Structure formats: C-alpha cells, structure tokens
C-alpha cells in the first residue's frame, strides 16, 4: 500500500456560560495550531461581548457583600389606620392581636387577617444577590384592630 504522510492542524472548541456584573455571556475556548485562546459573545454566540466586573461561573454562589447594614422598623396600629411598607424590604412581619385588619400586597385585593395570626414575607439574601420584596404591603386596620408590623431592609 502506498500513500503520503503529513500533519493535519486540528481545531478544538469548548463553550461555557459565565456571569459578570451585567449578567451571563458565552465564552468559547479554542485551541488551534497549538495556541489556546477564548472569545466572549452574548448568549446568541455571535454578538461580541466585553465582560464588566468580576467574571465567575454562574452556578457558583458568591460570598455576600461585606456585612450590609440592615434597618429595622416596628409599627403598632390600634383602631382604624394603615401601615405601608414600600417595595424593597427584605422582610415584613404582621402580628394581629385583635380585630381583622386587611392586607393588600402590590395593589392586589385586600384580604382580612383574623386575630391570633402571624405572617412573614421575606427573601433569603440581599447584598450582591439583590433580593428584596418587590411589592408594597399595606395593612389597614378598622375599629377594634390591634396589630404590629415590623420590617427590615438594606440601607
């Protein structure tokens, strides 16, 4: 059998979705002619992308920001009146001592909450994760109501 011999230059590529301060993007690692490099694109694989901030694997949990400051409030309402906690809180807790005040979340329908009830809405993390409650919470009391509303938020 006869033939020729020689070498063939092979190219190899691998892809990985990474994250930075602006979100996720696609990094293509390639080896061609013995040289290794990478190209960053948006997730469409064609639009050029320039990372901003620290580049990390998206599935790796990042350490929280250096001890964010947390502000807490507590308000007691007896009788008619309303307590409003604006969007952006990390937690909201309602404790009803008497009456049946109503709770409206994000402008939705007001729902009565009977005496003896304690409710809490919260997020796991704030800081770099940017988690916060996205709705306003409005607790409205009527004659005979007695309730407590506490909340926390990053400052």
């Amino acid at each position: 059998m006869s033939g020729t011999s020689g070498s063939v230059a092979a190219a190899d590529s691998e892809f990985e979705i990474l994250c930075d301060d602006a979100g996720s993007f696609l990094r293509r690692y390639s080896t061609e002619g013995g040289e290794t490099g990478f190209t960053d694109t948006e997730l469409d694989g064609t639009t050029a992308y320039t990372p901003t901030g620290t580049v990390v694997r998206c599935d790796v949990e990042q350490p929280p920001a250096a001890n964010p400051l947390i502000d807490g409030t507590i308000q007691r309402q007896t009788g008619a009146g309303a307590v409003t906690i604006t969007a952006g809180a990390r937690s909201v807790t309602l404790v009803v001592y008497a009456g049946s005040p109503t709770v409206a979340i994000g402008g939705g329908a007001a729902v009565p909450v009977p005496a003896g009830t304690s409710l809490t809405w919260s997020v796991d993390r704030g800081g770099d994760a940017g988690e916060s409650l996205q709705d306003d919470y409005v607790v409205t009391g009527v004659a005979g109501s007695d309730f407590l509303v506490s909340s926390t938020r990053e400052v």
Side-chain angles (χ1 to χ4, degrees):
M1 185 182 258
S2 66
T4 60
S5 66
S7 64
V8 176
D12 185 26
S13 294
E14 292 188 25
F15 298 87
E16 181 175 26
I17 295 176
L18 298 173
C19 290
D20 66 1
D21 292 346
S24 56
F25 63 95
L26 185 66
R27 179 166 283 175
R28 179 178 61 92
Y29 299 95
S30 61
T31 303
E32 190 169 338
E35 297 292 319
T36 301
F38 65 87
T39 305
D40 294 331
T41 63
E42 294 195 14
L43 295 176
D44 65 9
T46 58
T47 306
Y49 183 83
T50 302
T52 58
T54 304
V55 174
V56 297
R57 288 182 176 214
C58 298
D59 60 349
V60 176
E61 184 174 318
Q62 299 302 307
N67 299 325
L69 297 176
I70 304 296
D71 182 31
T73 62
I74 188 165
Q75 301 171 57
R76 187 165 187 171
Q77 175 68 42
T78 55
V83 174
T84 300
I85 305 298
T86 57
R90 284 186 63 181
S91 69
V92 176
T93 298
L94 167 65
V95 179
V96 180
Y97 299 114
S100 287
T102 61
V103 177
I105 301 172
V111 176
V113 180
T117 302
S118 174
L119 300 171
T120 298
W121 300 268
S122 66
V123 294
D124 292 336
R125 299 180 336 202
D128 287 343
E131 291 183 337
S132 64
L133 298 169
Q134 299 301 304
D135 293 314
D136 291 345
Y137 289 74
V138 180
V139 184
T140 305
V142 295
S145 293
D146 185 5
F147 60 91
L148 189 74
V149 178
S150 61
S151 67
T152 61
R153 74 177 57 239
E154 286 186 35
V155 290

